[in-house]
Amino acid sequence: MTTTAPPATRLPLYRKYVEEITARCGADPGVRVALRKGLRRGLDDVGPLHRIVAPWLPEERGEAEERAFYAVAALIADRPRHSFTTPDDETPEPDGPDLAATTGNEPKTSPTADEEAAPAQGQKGLRRARRDSLGASFARAVVAQGGQAGVRQDTAEARLNLLTRQSLEGLHRHLPGSVRLLRNADTDIDFAVLLADLTDWPRNSKAISRHWLQDFYRIRNSALEAAARRHDSEDDETGDAN
């Protein structure tokens, strides 16, 4: 297998893969149970997952990308079945043939680079930029702390800093706990971008870590500034009323 970086154009494939795995987990409890067994597992210990994941693997791939496909599928599956649907969802159509098996791993559609993607879970009324890092997810979890969900800022910072210091093996070991923390805070995660970051981690871990931290503090500080502006505006309105 090649060890070169995957083409940037694979992000649409990653997105379609995440959509397919999410749909299958919601429709088939057996698939969800099988995929969950891949949490924190190496490639030699994911036998039950091959029938689900292998049809999606690109012909030319490195070991990091291959493991990322399995890890992301396991992370998606690591939640209750009812959380894969919402009351507004339409009744799912009967299962058909595997998309990956009939299309040679190619997605049905190829979204353009400037197209926005809706979040896969939580905060479904919002839309996200196409590249939404794990740092951005942690930031939104902190911003949400004012409600019933959310994550304390010191907890989010500690988790994020721990992840950014890991080797690829350590990252795979610590990710499930962090994903559960975000999910419990009703925070969406862009699993397609996470797949891309896991794939690229051996070559560009420092750059990816920097982007995660930058996204975290940029979004967090923007929320604090917006809250301060709202507070000032409310004070002004109260003063005018008096």
Side-chain angles (χ1 to χ4, degrees), residues 3-237:
T3 58
T4 57
T9 53
R10 279 193 186 162
L11 189 58
L13 170 63
Y14 296 166
R15 292 205 179 281
K16 203 63 192 176
Y17 172 72
V18 168
E19 292 173 7
E20 177 75 2
I21 293 298
T22 302
R24 293 193 63 180
C25 285
D28 188 340
V31 167
R32 190 174 68 260
V33 170
L35 289 176
R36 288 180 65 179
K37 294 179 180 178
L39 286 172
R40 301 184 179 91
R41 298 289 183 88
L43 289 173
D44 294 331
D45 300 311
V46 291
L49 282 68
H50 292 319
R51 66 182 177 87
I52 304 165
V53 177
W56 286 88
L57 297 176
E59 288 292 333
E60 294 187 0
R61 62 188 184 274
E63 186 172 305
E65 184 176 25
E66 186 173 338
R67 187 172 183 183
F69 269 85
Y70 286 87
V72 164
L75 291 169
I76 291 172
D78 187 32
R79 69 188 213 244
R81 181 181 182 182
H82 66 78
S83 67
F84 286 92
T85 58
T86 68
D88 294 331
D89 285 346
E90 297 179 355
T91 301
E93 298 179 356
D95 289 340
D98 265 359
L99 178 64
T102 58
T103 60
N105 294 337
E106 291 298 327
K108 289 181 181 176
T109 59
S110 297
T112 59
D114 59 350
E115 182 181 1
E116 291 183 344
Q121 61 175 23
Q123 303 180 20
K124 292 181 175 60
L126 303 177
R127 296 181 66 85
R128 304 289 176 219
R130 284 192 57 77
R131 291 198 64 85
D132 200 2
S133 77
L134 199 62
S137 294
F138 271 106
R140 286 195 299 275
V142 171
V143 171
Q145 194 191 353
Q148 304 226 337
V151 176
R152 289 171 52 91
Q153 175 155 336
D154 55 353
T155 300
E157 285 179 310
R159 289 278 188 145
L160 193 55
N161 278 292
L162 176 65
L163 293 174
T164 59
R165 294 195 301 266
Q166 297 302 311
S167 64
L168 182 61
E169 184 66 32
L171 189 59
H172 279 282
R173 187 169 60 253
H174 287 286
L175 265 177
S178 292
V179 168
R180 286 172 187 165
L181 178 70
L182 292 170
R183 185 170 283 142
N184 290 339
D186 197 28
T187 302
D188 59 295
I189 302 163
D190 192 329
F191 283 109
V193 171
L194 181 58
L195 197 162
D197 287 346
L198 287 172
T199 296
D200 209 29
W201 194 264
R203 288 172 296 271
N204 294 311
S205 61
K206 290 184 178 179
I208 295 168
S209 297
R210 183 175 68 250
H211 292 153
W212 287 4
L213 291 168
Q214 288 172 341
D215 285 350
F216 176 78
Y217 288 109
R218 176 178 53 80
I219 294 173
R220 175 59 180 147
N221 289 349
S222 293
L224 289 174
E225 292 173 358
R229 287 194 296 270
R230 286 194 300 271
H231 185 269
D232 291 343
S233 177
E234 291 171 358
D235 286 347
D236 290 343
E237 292 176 359

